[in-house]
Amino acid sequence: MPVLTRLVPSPVFVEIRPGALDALGGILADQRLSAHGRIAVAISNGSGAVLRERLEPLLPGAEWFEVADGSLDCAVQLADQLRGGHFDALVGLGGGKIIDAAKYAAARVGLPIVAVATNLAHDGLCSPVSTLDNDAGRGSYGVPSPIGIVVDLDVIRQAPKRFVAAGIGDVISNISACADWELSHRITGEPVDGLAVAMARSAGENLLRHPGTLEDEDLLMCLAEALVLSGIAMNIAGSTRPSSGACHEICHALDVLYPKRSAQHGEQCGLGAAFASHLRGERELTGLIAERLSFHGLPVTAAQIGFTEAEFTEAVHYAPNTRPGRFTILEHLDLSPSDIRDAYADYVQAVNS
């Protein structure tokens, strides 16, 4: 009988602990990424400057590059600056925008990338996707996932609580995304990767049922690990399917229709997940998601992030256009604007009761 197996694309190393940032030089050397310190480090031009002062003595051979924002233009510019530098690896140090820009730049020049997160706002930390602003609004670009992940929990504690909470919303939305994937399997016959679902849904369930607050180190550890698992699940699936369903379609629609008013990615995805669960008739799950989002100060209604009922209705109706070919509860129900408005009114009543 043949023994069948498959290779699972994943980081070579994951360091999640207090004090990890001060050990970054040793981590890179121990992993044989850069024995001589020929490291390029991409940082923001804001908070990154403070971290540079702290880390520069610990990475004496590194060359530092400031990235203005999370745009495609800045990512391309970073790639151009890296060419000819003879670097061993690129370190993306910062939040999601910097890491996404660094992932894209590393892919263009063929460098391995190590993601060093300073907040835990969304699951781009370990994903094979870079989400970058472009002339058309925002685009998703396939890239190799990071070869290494470093999360210093002491640094995460200093991040704005809203960013950390947003990461919880993004991970919890995995539960809704996996339900949409399984719905598509039943209705359209789309294949489902059971291992990717197991990893993504477990990550979401862990956060959904964790009793801790944003002050608890155990919750931060759980969140960081969940974000890594979500990224690996996407690598296994070869797409964002295990972490992106109707929840993300709604989020992307809000970004497209109201680009100057959009909230945090994870805030919008958490709200989208709760509403999508309501549309699927999963009343108990909807209540659990809404309760956990509220517990961490995340929005459970459109009004809590500054959108009217009419605007949210428009976004939900537009949402399937953001992911052509993806089948979720939105495509399945194919609701009219008036149907969406009525469903949202029922949803608001349910989560506020």
Side-chain angles (χ1 to χ4, degrees):
M1 180 177 177
V3 177
L4 303 179
T5 187
R6 64 172 169 176
L7 298 177
V8 176
S10 61
V12 174
F13 64 94
V14 176
E15 292 275 347
I16 304 172
R17 58 183 170 84
L21 198 60
D22 290 329
L24 181 59
I27 291 170
L28 296 175
D30 290 345
Q31 297 298 328
R32 301 182 182 179
L33 271 181
S34 181
H36 303 292
R38 288 295 302 159
I39 296 293
V41 186
I43 58 172
S44 69
N45 54 12
S47 59
V50 177
L51 292 172
R52 178 175 180 174
E53 289 181 10
R54 174 179 167 183
L55 289 176
E56 206 159 17
L58 305 177
L59 300 171
E63 190 167 341
W64 299 74
F65 299 88
E66 291 189 357
V67 180
D69 55 42
S71 68
L72 179 60
D73 287 344
C74 284
V76 171
Q77 182 181 22
L78 174 60
D80 291 340
Q81 292 173 320
L82 293 172
R83 285 193 174 88
H86 304 292
F87 298 110
D88 300 321
L90 172 64
V91 173
L93 173 62
K97 290 183 178 180
I98 298 306
I99 290 176
D100 275 356
K103 287 194 297 185
Y104 184 89
R108 284 179 69 101
V109 297
L111 281 177
I113 179 168
V114 177
V116 182
T118 57
N119 69 53
L120 300 175
H122 64 74
D123 59 14
L125 173 63
C126 186
S127 75
V129 175
S130 285
T131 301
L132 301 169
D133 296 329
N134 56 36
D135 292 340
R138 183 166 293 172
S140 296
Y141 304 88
V143 295
S145 58
I147 194 172
I149 307 290
V150 178
V151 179
D152 188 330
L153 296 180
D154 291 332
V155 174
I156 300 302
R157 284 196 197 92
Q158 299 170 20
K161 292 293 185 287
R162 183 184 180 189
F163 291 169
V164 180
I168 294 173
D170 201 13
V171 172
I172 287 177
S173 76
N174 287 2
I175 301 169
S176 177
C178 289
D180 276 332
W181 199 3
E182 291 169 336
L183 172 68
S184 179
H185 175 69
R186 293 193 299 272
I187 302 300
T188 73
E190 178 186 356
V192 170
D193 190 308
L195 179 58
V197 167
M199 297 185 76
R201 185 151 51 203
S202 295
E205 291 283 353
N206 287 344
L207 267 297
L208 182 65
R209 303 178 191 282
H210 197 292
T213 71
L214 297 176
E215 307 297 328
D216 297 335
E217 182 174 302
D218 186 66
L219 176 70
L220 297 181
M221 176 72 78
C222 182
L223 174 57
E225 291 175 346
L227 293 173
V228 172
L229 287 175
S230 293
I232 295 174
M234 287 185 267
N235 275 318
I236 291 170
S239 74
T240 60
R241 199 50 158 126
S243 298
S244 175
C247 48
H248 279 63
E249 289 183 337
I250 293 171
C251 175
H252 296 315
L254 290 169
D255 289 338
V256 170
L257 296 176
Y258 313 105
K260 295 183 179 180
R261 296 170 49 202
S262 54
Q264 289 287 318
H265 173 83
E267 293 175 334
Q268 296 179 168
C269 289
L271 168 59
F275 183 58
S277 298
H278 177 80
L279 292 178
R280 285 191 300 271
E282 300 167 328
R283 298 297 185 260
E284 182 179 356
L285 177 60
T286 301
L288 286 172
I289 292 175
E291 185 279 329
R292 193 49 25 182
L293 295 178
S294 295
F295 178 81
H296 291 297
L298 290 161
V300 295
T301 66
Q304 291 173 337
I305 48 175
F307 294 105
T308 66
E309 178 186 277
E311 289 169 335
F312 187 74
T313 297
E314 182 184 11
V316 173
H317 190 249
Y318 179 82
N321 295 301
T322 67
R323 286 292 182 270
R326 182 156 293 185
F327 189 89
T328 75
I329 189 62
L330 299 181
E331 289 79 5
H332 178 54
L333 296 178
D334 192 23
L335 299 173
S336 67
S338 61
D339 290 335
I340 295 169
R341 184 171 58 250
D342 291 344
Y344 179 67
D346 290 342
Y347 163 79
V348 171
Q349 183 176 9
V351 298
N352 286 334
S353 61

